[in-house]
């Protein structure tokens, strides 16, 4: 019997080395990574600045405890506050934990408003994580199946549908709206340009917290530091993880206004969260994105890939839509197409299929033009022969 639990369906490949957008397997074969470990290694693999920060910090101090002050944690909080416009930060080790903190803040907000049975509005096809509270918030029955009873009380509404939320305005136990600015796992669903603006207005009217899950969209992925910055609004609570440490585990929950006052000593915590190694690494990630002008590069690459795919695929029957926000790219086909992942792997390209029929690309920001060309040609070729056979 295998000694690893069976919770993952793994592809038949094991990587031992990476550099930039390339990975090498145990046989020494190289692969082009168009997925970045699911929007994590945004600066590519073994980025020199990040590697140097990890090595230096590992030689200095890895962990103490949140019983004590942590210099790099304070510096990272300051940095994120100035980048986000939020007011304070809590650090943890993963996306699910960042969302747990966000959900706990909503519960404390309810206590303050004397609401004993608070509800949070969430959306269909959302993904918020695998802990009990975050899988309850997730809008995908497959993620919840077998783990009932779920955590109460999440109200699921269609994504990109403000009217559906407006209809709940009379319900007086609602305390927050929790959404992804672009749904990642749900199929790269890009909402109307003013979706977040409308949610902001509605939350202000209702005194609900606007809680944005930017675990996938944050840290430059959509071409702004944070996706809500396309809308010139601020959320009340913000969760981050994936790209923040470029592979070193770190998550963050940031808050503003009343939400920034809710935690007091003893109300929340974690042993590892915000340790010197993780925070120092995240600071190096943010510095590198800034120094190397990578937001601009994300936008350039986004246009380049969109144009390339449009040229290759716009006339192809069976391509339902090509969606992109920055370097979150989804190509929806009219058939389930999970087998394309293995076919791409055979051509030494790493891609993902989500929501059954959507090819998802999350390439690193340091991708070269010729690597972008290779992604366009390989993926388009695979799609054309797949559709010709179905
Ligand atoms: C990946 C993801 C999560 C969960 O993050 P983990 O680090 O896997 O716990 C939550 N929300 C969104 C939008 C994600 O993409």
């Amino acid at each position: 019997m295998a000694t690893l639990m069976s919770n993952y369906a793994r592809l038949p490949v094991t990587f031992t080395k990476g550099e930039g957008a390339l990975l090498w397997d145990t046989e020494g074969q190289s692969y082009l990574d168009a997925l970045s470990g699911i929007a994590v290694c945004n600066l590519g693999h073994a980025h020199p600045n990040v590697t140097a920060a990890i090595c230096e910090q590992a030689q200095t101090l890895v962990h103490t405890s949140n019983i004590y002050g942590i210099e790099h944690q304070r510096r990272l909080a300051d940095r994120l506050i100035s980048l986000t416009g939020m007011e304070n930060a809590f650090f943890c080790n993963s996306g699910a934990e960042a969302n747990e903190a966000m959900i706990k803040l909503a519960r404390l907000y309810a206590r303050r408003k004397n609401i004993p049975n608070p509800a949070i509005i969430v959306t269909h096809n959302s993904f918020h994580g695998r802990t009990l509270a975050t899988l309850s918030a997730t809008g995908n029955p497959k993620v919840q199946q077998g783990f009932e009873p779920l955590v109460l009380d999440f109200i699921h509404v269609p994504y990109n549908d403000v009217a559906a939320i407006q209809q709940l305005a009379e319900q007086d136990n609602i305390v927050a709206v929790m959404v992804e600015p672009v749904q990642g796992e749900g199929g790269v669903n890009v909402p109307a340009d003013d979706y977040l603006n409308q949610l902001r207005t509605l939350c202000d009217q209702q005194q609900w917290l606007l809680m944005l899950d930017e675990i996938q969209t944050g840290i430059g992925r959509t071409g702004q530091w944070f996706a809500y910055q396309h809308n010139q609004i601020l959320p009340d609570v913000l969760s981050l993880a994936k790209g923040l440490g470029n592979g070193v585990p770190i998550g963050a929950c940031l808050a503003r206004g009343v939400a920034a006052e809710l935690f007091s000593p003893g109300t929340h915590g974690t042993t590892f969260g915000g340790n010197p190694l993780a925070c120092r690494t995240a600071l190096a990630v943010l510095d590198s994105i800034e120094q190397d002008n990578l937001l601009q590069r994300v936008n350039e690459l986004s246009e380049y890939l969109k144009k390339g795919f449009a040229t290759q695929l716009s006339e192809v029957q069976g391509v339902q839509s090509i969606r992109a926000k920055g370097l979150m790219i989804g190509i929806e086909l009219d058939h389930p197409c999970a087998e394309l992942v293995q076919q791409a792997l055979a051509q030494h390209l790493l891609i993902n299929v989500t929501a059954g029929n959507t090819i998802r690309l999350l390439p690193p920001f340091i991708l070269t033009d010729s690597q972008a060309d290779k992604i366009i040609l390989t993926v388009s070729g695979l799609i054309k022969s797949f559709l010709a056979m179905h």
Side-chain angles (χ1 to χ4, degrees), residues 309-317 319 322:
F309 282 120
T311 307
Q312 292 288 327
L313 296 173
S314 59
E315 307 285 300
V316 176
Q317 278 275 325
V319 176
I322 303 172

Side-chain angles (χ1 to χ4, degrees), residues 93-97 99 127-130 180 184-185 213-216 241-242:
N93 315 285
S94 68
E97 282 176 83
N99 283 341
F127 182 78
H128 297 298
R130 300 285 193 161
E180 297 153 88
E185 306 305 302
D213 177 345
E214 290 233 28
I215 288 162
Q216 191 160 152
K242 293 204 163 88

